[in-house]
Amino acid sequence: MPAAHDHSAERPQAQDGPVRYHRQGPVAIVTMNRPEYRNAQNSAMTYALDRAFYRAADDDEVKVVVLAGAGEHFSAGHDIGTPERDAHLPFDRRAGLWWDHSDKAGAESRYARESEVYLGMCRRWRELPKPVIASVQGACVAGGLMLAWVCDLIVASEDAFFADPVVRMGIPGVEYFAHPWVMPPRVAKEFLYTGDRMTARRAHEVGMVNRVVPRAELTERTMELADRIAGMPRMGLALTKRAVNQAEDLQGLHSGMDSVFGLHHLAHAHNAETARDPLGGMDVRAMKKGSA
Protein backbone atom coordinates (compact mmCIF):
# COMPACT_ATOMS: atom_id res chain seq x y z
CA MET A 1 0.00 0.00 0.00
CA PRO A 2 2.41 2.74 -1.16
CA ALA A 3 1.47 6.29 -0.27
CA ALA A 4 -0.69 8.40 -2.52
CA HIS A 5 -0.44 12.15 -3.08
CA ASP A 6 -3.25 13.65 -0.98
CA HIS A 7 -3.75 17.42 -0.92
CA SER A 8 -5.87 17.45 2.24
CA ALA A 9 -4.97 20.31 4.55
CA GLU A 10 -5.70 18.05 7.51
CA ARG A 11 -2.73 15.77 6.92
CA PRO A 12 -0.04 15.76 9.59
CA GLN A 13 3.10 17.48 8.34
CA ALA A 14 6.65 16.23 8.92
CA GLN A 15 9.06 18.28 10.97
CA ASP A 16 12.87 18.00 11.17
CA GLY A 17 13.49 15.93 8.05
CA PRO A 18 12.52 12.40 6.99
CA VAL A 19 13.91 10.73 10.15
CA ARG A 20 14.00 11.94 13.76
CA TYR A 21 16.51 10.68 16.32
CA HIS A 22 16.58 11.11 20.05
CA ARG A 23 17.84 9.19 23.06
CA GLN A 24 15.81 8.39 26.14
CA GLY A 25 18.20 6.98 28.71
CA PRO A 26 19.80 3.86 27.20
CA VAL A 27 17.29 3.71 24.33
CA ALA A 28 17.75 5.43 20.96
CA ILE A 29 14.43 6.16 19.26
CA VAL A 30 14.58 6.38 15.45
CA THR A 31 11.34 7.69 13.98
CA MET A 32 10.37 7.72 10.31
CA ASN A 33 8.96 11.17 9.73
CA ARG A 34 6.89 11.46 6.57
CA PRO A 35 3.46 11.14 8.19
CA GLU A 36 1.77 13.06 5.38
CA TYR A 37 2.66 10.12 3.09
CA ARG A 38 2.19 7.36 5.65
CA ASN A 39 5.98 7.16 6.00
CA ALA A 40 6.53 6.02 2.43
CA GLN A 41 10.25 5.42 2.03
CA ASN A 42 12.05 7.54 -0.52
CA SER A 43 15.83 7.38 -0.80
CA ALA A 44 16.26 10.44 1.41
CA MET A 45 14.50 8.57 4.22
CA THR A 46 16.47 5.39 3.62
CA TYR A 47 19.82 7.14 3.87
CA ALA A 48 18.63 9.13 6.90
CA LEU A 49 17.69 5.84 8.57
CA ASP A 50 21.16 4.54 7.78
CA ARG A 51 22.76 7.55 9.45
CA ALA A 52 20.52 7.15 12.49
CA PHE A 53 21.39 3.48 12.90
CA TYR A 54 25.11 4.29 12.62
CA ARG A 55 24.65 6.98 15.26
CA ALA A 56 22.98 4.52 17.62
CA ALA A 57 25.67 1.91 16.99
CA ASP A 58 28.45 4.41 17.76
CA ASP A 59 26.88 5.78 20.95
CA ASP A 60 28.16 3.82 23.95
CA GLU A 61 25.23 5.09 26.03
CA VAL A 62 22.74 3.37 23.72
CA LYS A 63 21.89 -0.22 24.61
CA VAL A 64 18.69 -0.71 22.58
CA VAL A 65 17.20 0.93 19.48
CA VAL A 66 13.48 1.48 18.81
CA LEU A 67 12.28 2.01 15.24
CA ALA A 68 8.95 3.84 15.01
CA GLY A 69 6.83 5.73 12.51
CA ALA A 70 5.32 9.18 13.07
CA GLY A 71 1.59 9.63 12.61
CA GLU A 72 -1.08 7.03 11.98
CA HIS A 73 1.06 4.45 10.19
CA PHE A 74 4.42 2.73 10.66
CA SER A 75 5.18 2.65 6.92
CA ALA A 76 3.04 2.17 3.84
CA GLY A 77 5.98 0.94 1.79
CA HIS A 78 8.41 2.20 -0.80
CA ASP A 79 7.65 5.56 -2.31
CA ILE A 80 6.16 5.06 -5.76
CA GLY A 81 4.01 8.17 -5.98
CA THR A 82 4.80 11.18 -3.77
CA PRO A 83 6.17 14.53 -4.96
CA GLU A 84 9.46 13.77 -3.18
CA ARG A 85 10.03 10.45 -4.92
CA ASP A 86 13.75 10.50 -5.68
CA ALA A 87 14.58 7.11 -7.19
CA HIS A 88 16.28 8.81 -10.14
CA LEU A 89 18.73 10.78 -8.00
CA PRO A 90 22.28 9.74 -7.05
CA PHE A 91 23.21 9.24 -3.39
CA ASP A 92 26.54 8.43 -1.76
CA ARG A 93 26.46 4.65 -1.66
CA ARG A 94 27.03 3.00 1.71
CA ALA A 95 25.73 -0.57 1.55
CA GLY A 96 27.53 -2.02 -1.45
CA LEU A 97 29.92 -1.47 -4.34
CA TRP A 98 27.47 -1.47 -7.23
CA TRP A 99 27.83 1.55 -9.49
CA ASP A 100 25.71 4.69 -9.41
CA HIS A 101 22.31 3.81 -10.84
CA SER A 102 21.22 7.34 -11.74
CA ASP A 103 23.06 7.57 -15.08
CA LYS A 104 22.25 4.01 -16.17
CA ALA A 105 19.21 2.50 -17.87
CA GLY A 106 17.11 -0.64 -17.60
CA ALA A 107 18.11 -3.55 -15.40
CA GLU A 108 21.59 -2.07 -15.02
CA SER A 109 20.02 0.81 -13.11
CA ARG A 110 17.32 -1.07 -11.19
CA TYR A 111 19.56 -3.87 -9.98
CA ALA A 112 22.28 -1.48 -8.80
CA ARG A 113 19.85 0.80 -6.94
CA GLU A 114 17.87 -1.96 -5.25
CA SER A 115 21.04 -3.84 -4.30
CA GLU A 116 22.03 -0.72 -2.39
CA VAL A 117 18.94 0.90 -0.90
CA TYR A 118 16.73 -2.14 -0.39
CA LEU A 119 18.54 -5.46 0.05
CA GLY A 120 21.91 -3.99 1.01
CA MET A 121 20.64 -1.51 3.57
CA CYS A 122 18.27 -3.99 5.21
CA ARG A 123 20.92 -6.67 5.51
CA ARG A 124 23.33 -4.28 7.17
CA TRP A 125 20.72 -2.95 9.58
CA ARG A 126 19.88 -6.53 10.58
CA GLU A 127 23.50 -6.87 11.74
CA LEU A 128 23.44 -3.80 14.02
CA PRO A 129 25.06 -5.26 17.18
CA LYS A 130 22.38 -3.89 19.50
CA PRO A 131 18.80 -5.09 19.89
CA VAL A 132 16.33 -3.24 17.66
CA ILE A 133 12.59 -3.18 18.40
CA ALA A 134 10.00 -2.17 15.81
CA SER A 135 7.05 -0.27 17.26
CA VAL A 136 4.31 -0.76 14.66
CA GLN A 137 0.94 0.93 14.29
CA GLY A 138 -1.41 1.13 11.33
CA ALA A 139 0.02 0.07 7.99
CA CYS A 140 3.15 -2.04 7.76
CA VAL A 141 3.09 -2.81 4.07
CA ALA A 142 5.63 -4.01 1.48
CA GLY A 143 8.74 -1.89 2.16
CA GLY A 144 7.42 -1.36 5.67
CA LEU A 145 7.64 -5.10 6.24
CA MET A 146 11.30 -5.01 5.31
CA LEU A 147 12.00 -2.45 8.02
CA ALA A 148 10.04 -4.35 10.66
CA TRP A 149 11.63 -7.67 9.70
CA VAL A 150 15.21 -6.45 10.13
CA CYS A 151 14.32 -5.64 13.74
CA ASP A 152 14.86 -8.26 16.43
CA LEU A 153 11.46 -7.80 18.05
CA ILE A 154 8.13 -6.36 16.90
CA VAL A 155 5.59 -4.75 19.21
CA ALA A 156 2.37 -4.03 17.32
CA SER A 157 -0.71 -2.06 18.21
CA GLU A 158 -4.08 -3.77 17.92
CA ASP A 159 -4.89 -1.74 14.81
CA ALA A 160 -1.67 -2.65 12.99
CA PHE A 161 -1.86 -4.66 9.80
CA PHE A 162 0.72 -6.27 7.54
CA ALA A 163 0.63 -6.92 3.79
CA ASP A 164 2.84 -7.54 0.78
CA PRO A 165 0.70 -6.78 -2.28
CA VAL A 166 3.50 -6.61 -4.86
CA VAL A 167 2.50 -9.91 -6.47
CA ARG A 168 -0.14 -7.69 -8.11
CA MET A 169 2.81 -6.20 -10.00
CA GLY A 170 3.85 -9.70 -11.07
CA ILE A 171 6.77 -9.50 -8.60
CA PRO A 172 7.42 -12.32 -6.07
CA GLY A 173 7.44 -10.23 -2.88
CA VAL A 174 9.56 -7.38 -1.63
CA GLU A 175 13.32 -7.30 -2.06
CA TYR A 176 14.18 -8.36 1.49
CA PHE A 177 12.44 -11.71 1.03
CA ALA A 178 12.18 -12.95 4.63
CA HIS A 179 8.63 -14.26 4.28
CA PRO A 180 9.29 -18.03 4.75
CA TRP A 181 11.49 -17.32 7.79
CA VAL A 182 9.24 -14.88 9.67
CA MET A 183 6.12 -17.02 9.16
CA PRO A 184 5.39 -20.63 8.19
CA PRO A 185 5.80 -21.32 4.45
CA ARG A 186 2.11 -22.05 3.78
CA VAL A 187 1.12 -18.89 5.61
CA ALA A 188 3.73 -16.99 3.57
CA LYS A 189 2.26 -18.35 0.33
CA GLU A 190 -1.26 -17.28 1.28
CA PHE A 191 0.07 -13.89 2.40
CA LEU A 192 1.71 -13.38 -1.01
CA TYR A 193 -0.85 -15.10 -3.26
CA THR A 194 -3.73 -12.98 -1.96
CA GLY A 195 -1.98 -9.76 -0.99
CA ASP A 196 -4.51 -9.54 1.83
CA ARG A 197 -3.91 -7.70 5.07
CA MET A 198 -2.78 -9.74 8.07
CA THR A 199 -4.04 -8.42 11.38
CA ALA A 200 -1.75 -7.88 14.33
CA ARG A 201 -3.45 -10.76 16.16
CA ARG A 202 -2.88 -13.13 13.26
CA ALA A 203 0.73 -11.97 12.97
CA HIS A 204 1.18 -12.80 16.65
CA GLU A 205 -0.41 -16.23 16.15
CA VAL A 206 2.06 -17.15 13.41
CA GLY A 207 5.05 -15.84 15.36
CA MET A 208 5.86 -12.77 13.28
CA VAL A 209 5.01 -10.33 16.08
CA ASN A 210 6.16 -10.57 19.70
CA ARG A 211 3.47 -8.54 21.43
CA VAL A 212 0.14 -6.92 20.56
CA VAL A 213 -0.92 -3.98 22.72
CA PRO A 214 -3.64 -1.30 22.72
CA ARG A 215 -2.83 1.58 20.38
CA ALA A 216 -2.81 4.09 23.23
CA GLU A 217 -0.18 2.01 25.05
CA LEU A 218 2.12 1.26 22.11
CA THR A 219 4.89 3.70 22.94
CA GLU A 220 4.81 3.00 26.67
CA ARG A 221 4.83 -0.78 26.26
CA THR A 222 7.58 -0.65 23.64
CA MET A 223 9.74 1.47 25.93
CA GLU A 224 9.10 -0.86 28.87
CA LEU A 225 10.44 -3.76 26.82
CA ALA A 226 13.39 -1.71 25.57
CA ASP A 227 14.33 -0.61 29.09
CA ARG A 228 14.13 -4.18 30.36
CA ILE A 229 16.45 -5.42 27.63
CA ALA A 230 18.80 -2.48 28.20
CA GLY A 231 19.59 -3.90 31.65
CA MET A 232 21.38 -6.86 30.06
CA PRO A 233 25.15 -6.83 29.33
CA ARG A 234 25.98 -5.14 26.02
CA MET A 235 28.34 -7.88 24.83
CA GLY A 236 25.92 -10.60 25.82
CA LEU A 237 23.16 -8.97 23.78
CA ALA A 238 25.43 -8.51 20.77
CA LEU A 239 26.62 -12.12 20.81
CA THR A 240 23.11 -13.46 21.34
CA LYS A 241 21.81 -11.45 18.41
CA ARG A 242 24.68 -12.73 16.28
CA ALA A 243 23.98 -16.31 17.32
CA VAL A 244 20.31 -16.19 16.34
CA ASN A 245 21.05 -14.38 13.07
CA GLN A 246 23.64 -17.04 12.21
CA ALA A 247 21.08 -19.75 12.90
CA GLU A 248 18.64 -18.08 10.49
CA ASP A 249 21.37 -17.85 7.86
CA LEU A 250 22.17 -21.56 8.33
CA GLN A 251 18.46 -22.17 7.66
CA GLY A 252 18.95 -20.50 4.27
CA LEU A 253 17.89 -16.91 4.91
CA HIS A 254 20.89 -15.21 3.31
CA SER A 255 21.22 -17.45 0.25
CA GLY A 256 17.45 -17.62 -0.14
CA MET A 257 17.24 -13.84 -0.33
CA ASP A 258 19.97 -13.78 -2.97
CA SER A 259 18.07 -16.22 -5.16
CA VAL A 260 14.72 -14.44 -4.78
CA PHE A 261 16.35 -11.06 -5.43
CA GLY A 262 17.28 -12.42 -8.85
CA LEU A 263 13.69 -13.54 -9.44
CA HIS A 264 12.49 -10.11 -8.29
CA HIS A 265 14.57 -8.46 -11.01
CA LEU A 266 13.54 -11.00 -13.61
CA ALA A 267 9.98 -9.86 -12.86
CA HIS A 268 10.96 -6.19 -13.26
CA ALA A 269 12.60 -6.97 -16.61
CA HIS A 270 9.56 -8.95 -17.77
CA ASN A 271 7.28 -6.06 -16.83
CA ALA A 272 9.50 -3.60 -18.68
CA GLU A 273 9.09 -5.71 -21.83
CA THR A 274 5.39 -6.53 -21.56
CA ALA A 275 3.82 -3.66 -19.62
CA ARG A 276 4.25 0.07 -19.58
CA ASP A 277 6.88 0.07 -16.81
CA PRO A 278 8.92 -2.21 -14.50
CA LEU A 279 6.09 -2.11 -11.94
CA GLY A 280 3.74 -3.88 -14.32
CA GLY A 281 1.74 -0.74 -14.99
CA MET A 282 0.63 -0.53 -11.37
CA ASP A 283 0.47 2.81 -9.61
CA VAL A 284 -0.64 3.95 -6.16
CA ARG A 285 -4.32 4.00 -7.10
CA ALA A 286 -4.24 0.53 -8.66
CA MET A 287 -2.40 -0.99 -5.71
CA LYS A 288 -4.81 0.52 -3.20
CA LYS A 289 -7.82 -0.61 -5.22
CA GLY A 290 -6.67 -4.22 -4.95
CA SER A 291 -6.14 -4.11 -1.20
CA ALA A 292 -8.40 -6.22 0.98
Side-chain angles (χ1 to χ4, degrees), residues 34 41-49 79 84-89 91 101 113 117-118 121:
R34 298 185 76 208
Q41 304 159 39
N42 60 4
S43 294
M45 175 183 278
T46 301
Y47 282 90
L49 282 170
D79 187 347
E84 289 96 34
R85 186 169 191 262
D86 53 11
H88 63 291
L89 298 177
F91 285 81
H101 74 282
R113 178 175 184 270
V117 298
Y118 296 157
M121 289 286 192

Side-chain angles (χ1 to χ4, degrees), residues 136 138 140 145 148-149 154-163 179 181-184 187 191 196-212:
V136 176
C140 183
L145 292 171
W149 286 346
I154 301 175
V155 179
S157 64
E158 292 172 336
D159 69 333
F161 62 89
F162 306 84
H179 309 62
W181 288 271
V182 299
M183 64 184 87
V187 176
F191 186 69
D196 289 347
R197 295 178 177 183
M198 178 183 287
T199 66
R201 291 293 178 191
R202 177 61 172 158
H204 184 263
E205 288 176 1
V206 302
M208 190 173 78
V209 164
N210 295 87
R211 301 183 181 186
V212 178

Side-chain angles (χ1 to χ4, degrees), residues 27-108:
V27 180
I29 302 168
V30 177
T31 304
M32 292 177 283
N33 192 38
R34 298 185 76 208
E36 66 273 35
Y37 302 119
R38 296 178 290 174
N39 294 317
Q41 304 159 39
N42 60 4
S43 294
M45 175 183 278
T46 301
Y47 282 90
L49 282 170
D50 195 56
R51 291 190 295 272
F53 286 136
Y54 262 110
R55 181 176 175 182
D58 287 342
D59 187 344
D60 283 344
E61 299 300 315
V62 170
K63 298 288 293 294
V64 179
V65 181
V66 169
L67 176 63
E72 294 298 308
H73 300 283
F74 178 75
S75 177
H78 293 140
D79 187 347
I80 66 170
T82 84
E84 289 96 34
R85 186 169 191 262
D86 53 11
H88 63 291
L89 298 177
F91 285 81
D92 291 334
R93 297 179 302 285
R94 301 288 300 275
L97 294 173
W98 278 91
W99 46 71
D100 176 19
H101 74 282
S102 64
D103 59 351
K104 311 295 188 300
E108 191 174 24

Side-chain angles (χ1 to χ4, degrees), residues 110 166-167 169-173 260-275 277-281:
R110 289 191 299 274
V166 302
V167 176
M169 298 176 176
I171 296 171
V260 178
F261 191 66
L263 298 177
H264 184 99
H265 282 274
L266 172 61
H268 275 317
H270 177 73
N271 286 340
E273 288 192 36
T274 62
D277 57 48
L279 301 182

Side-chain angles (χ1 to χ4, degrees), residues 118-129:
Y118 296 157
L119 186 60
M121 289 286 192
C122 284
R123 276 182 164 166
R124 203 177 54 197
W125 298 338
R126 174 178 176 256
E127 298 300 321
L128 182 85

